[in-house]
Coordinates of all heavy atoms in Angstrom, one line a residue:
A1 N -102.9 16.9 7.5 CA -104.2 17.8 7.6 C -104.0 18.7 8.9 O -102.9 18.7 9.5 CB -105.3 16.7 7.9
A2 N -105.0 19.3 9.2 CA -105.0 20.2 10.4 C -104.5 19.5 11.7 O -103.9 20.0 12.5 CB -106.3 21.0 10.6
S3 N -105.0 18.3 11.7 CA -104.7 17.5 12.9 C -103.4 16.6 12.5 O -103.1 16.2 11.5 CB -105.8 16.5 13.3 OG -105.5 15.6 14.2
S4 N -102.6 16.3 13.5 CA -101.5 15.4 13.2 C -101.8 14.0 13.6 O -100.8 13.3 13.8 CB -100.3 16.0 14.2 OG -100.6 16.0 15.6
T5 N -103.0 13.8 13.8 CA -103.5 12.3 14.0 C -104.4 11.9 12.9 O -105.2 12.7 12.4 CB -104.2 12.3 15.3 OG1 -103.3 12.7 16.4 CG2 -104.5 10.8 15.6
V6 N -104.1 10.6 12.5 CA -105.0 10.1 11.4 C -105.8 8.8 12.1 O -105.3 8.2 13.0 CB -104.3 9.5 10.2 CG1 -103.3 8.4 10.5 CG2 -105.1 9.1 9.1
E7 N -107.1 8.7 11.7 CA -107.9 7.6 12.2 C -108.0 6.6 11.1 O -108.5 7.0 9.9 CB -109.2 8.1 12.8 CG -109.0 8.8 14.1 CD -110.4 9.2 14.9 OE1 -111.4 8.7 14.2 OE2 -110.4 9.7 15.8
I8 N -107.9 5.4 11.3 CA -108.1 4.4 10.3 C -109.2 3.3 11.0 O -109.0 2.9 12.1 CB -106.9 3.6 10.0 CG1 -105.9 4.6 9.4 CG2 -107.1 2.4 9.0 CD1 -104.5 3.9 9.2
C9 N -110.3 3.2 10.3 CA -111.4 2.3 10.8 C -111.2 0.9 10.0 O -111.4 0.9 8.8 CB -112.8 3.0 10.5 SG -113.0 4.5 11.4
L10 N -111.1 -0.1 11.0 CA -111.2 -1.5 10.3 C -112.2 -2.1 11.0 O -112.0 -2.7 12.1 CB -109.7 -2.2 10.5 CG -108.6 -1.5 9.7 CD1 -107.2 -2.2 10.2 CD2 -108.7 -1.7 8.3
G11 N -113.3 -2.3 10.4 CA -114.5 -2.9 11.1 C -114.8 -2.2 12.2 O -115.1 -1.0 12.1
D12 N -115.0 -2.9 13.4 CA -115.3 -2.1 14.6 C -114.0 -1.6 15.4 O -114.2 -1.2 16.6 CB -116.1 -3.0 15.5 CG -115.5 -4.3 16.0 OD1 -114.4 -4.7 15.3 OD2 -115.9 -4.9 16.9
V13 N -112.9 -1.6 14.8 CA -111.6 -1.1 15.4 C -111.3 0.1 14.7 O -111.2 0.3 13.6 CB -110.5 -2.2 15.3 CG1 -109.2 -1.6 15.8 CG2 -110.9 -3.5 15.9
V14 N -110.8 1.1 15.7 CA -110.3 2.4 15.2 C -108.9 2.5 15.6 O -108.5 2.3 16.8 CB -111.1 3.6 15.8 CG1 -110.5 5.0 15.4 CG2 -112.7 3.5 15.4
I15 N -108.0 2.8 14.6 CA -106.5 3.0 14.9 C -106.3 4.4 14.8 O -106.6 5.0 13.7 CB -105.8 2.2 13.9 CG1 -106.1 0.6 13.9 CG2 -104.3 2.3 14.2 CD1 -105.4 -0.2 12.8
R16 N -105.7 5.0 15.7 CA -105.2 6.4 15.7 C -103.9 6.5 15.7 O -103.1 5.9 16.6 CB -106.0 7.2 16.8 CG -107.4 7.4 16.8 CD -107.9 8.2 18.2 NE -109.3 8.2 18.0 CZ -110.2 7.4 18.6 NH1 -109.6 6.3 19.2 NH2 -111.4 7.4 18.6
A17 N -103.2 7.1 14.7 CA -101.8 7.1 14.6 C -101.4 8.6 14.4 O -101.9 9.4 13.7 CB -101.3 6.3 13.4
G18 N -100.3 9.0 15.2 CA -99.8 10.3 15.0 C -99.0 10.4 13.7 O -98.6 9.3 13.1
A19 N -98.6 11.6 13.3 CA -97.7 11.8 12.2 C -96.4 11.2 12.3 O -95.8 11.1 11.3 CB -97.6 13.4 11.9
D20 N -95.8 11.0 13.4 CA -94.6 10.4 13.7 C -94.5 8.9 13.6 O -93.4 8.4 13.6 CB -94.0 10.8 15.1 CG -94.8 10.3 16.2 OD1 -96.1 10.1 15.9 OD2 -94.3 10.2 17.3
V21 N -95.6 8.2 13.2 CA -95.6 6.7 13.1 C -95.2 6.5 11.7 O -95.8 7.0 10.8 CB -97.0 6.2 13.4 CG1 -97.0 4.7 13.1 CG2 -97.4 6.4 15.0
G22 N -94.2 5.6 11.6 CA -93.7 5.3 10.1 C -94.6 4.4 9.5 O -95.3 3.7 10.1
Q23 N -94.4 4.5 8.1 CA -95.3 3.6 7.4 C -95.1 2.1 7.5 O -96.1 1.5 7.6 CB -94.9 3.8 5.8 CG -95.6 3.0 4.7 CD -95.2 3.4 3.4 OE1 -94.7 4.5 3.2 NE2 -95.2 2.5 2.5
G24 N -93.9 1.6 7.7 CA -93.7 0.2 8.1 C -94.4 -0.2 9.3 O -95.1 -1.3 9.4
H25 N -94.2 0.6 10.3 CA -94.8 0.3 11.7 C -96.3 0.4 11.6 O -97.0 -0.6 12.1 CB -94.4 1.3 12.7 CG -94.8 1.0 14.1 ND1 -94.3 -0.1 14.8 CD2 -95.7 1.6 14.9 CE1 -94.9 -0.2 16.0 NE2 -95.6 0.9 16.1
L26 N -96.9 1.2 10.9 CA -98.4 1.3 10.8 C -99.0 0.1 10.0 O -99.9 -0.5 10.4 CB -98.7 2.7 10.0 CG -100.2 2.9 9.9 CD1 -101.0 2.9 11.2 CD2 -100.4 4.2 9.1
A27 N -98.1 -0.2 8.9 CA -98.6 -1.5 8.2 C -98.6 -2.7 9.2 O -99.5 -3.5 9.0 CB -97.6 -1.7 7.0
R28 N -97.6 -2.8 10.0 CA -97.6 -4.0 10.9 C -98.7 -4.0 11.9 O -99.4 -5.1 12.3 CB -96.3 -4.1 11.8 CG -95.1 -4.6 10.9 CD -93.8 -4.7 11.7 NE -93.3 -3.5 12.3 CZ -92.5 -2.6 11.7 NH1 -92.1 -2.9 10.4 NH2 -92.1 -1.6 12.4
I29 N -99.1 -2.8 12.4 CA -100.2 -2.6 13.3 C -101.5 -3.1 12.6 O -102.3 -3.8 13.1 CB -100.3 -1.1 13.8 CG1 -99.3 -0.9 14.7 CG2 -101.6 -1.0 14.5 CD1 -99.0 0.7 15.0
I30 N -101.7 -2.6 11.3 CA -102.9 -2.9 10.5 C -103.1 -4.5 10.3 O -104.0 -5.0 10.4 CB -103.0 -2.2 9.3 CG1 -103.2 -0.6 9.5 CG2 -104.1 -2.7 8.4 CD1 -103.0 0.2 8.3

């Protein structure tokens, strides 16, 4: 997207991840 950051909302927690975060690492965070 125009921004290089994505926001993922899980309940009352918001995870912001940059474009450089790998899929596996993001899955572990979630």
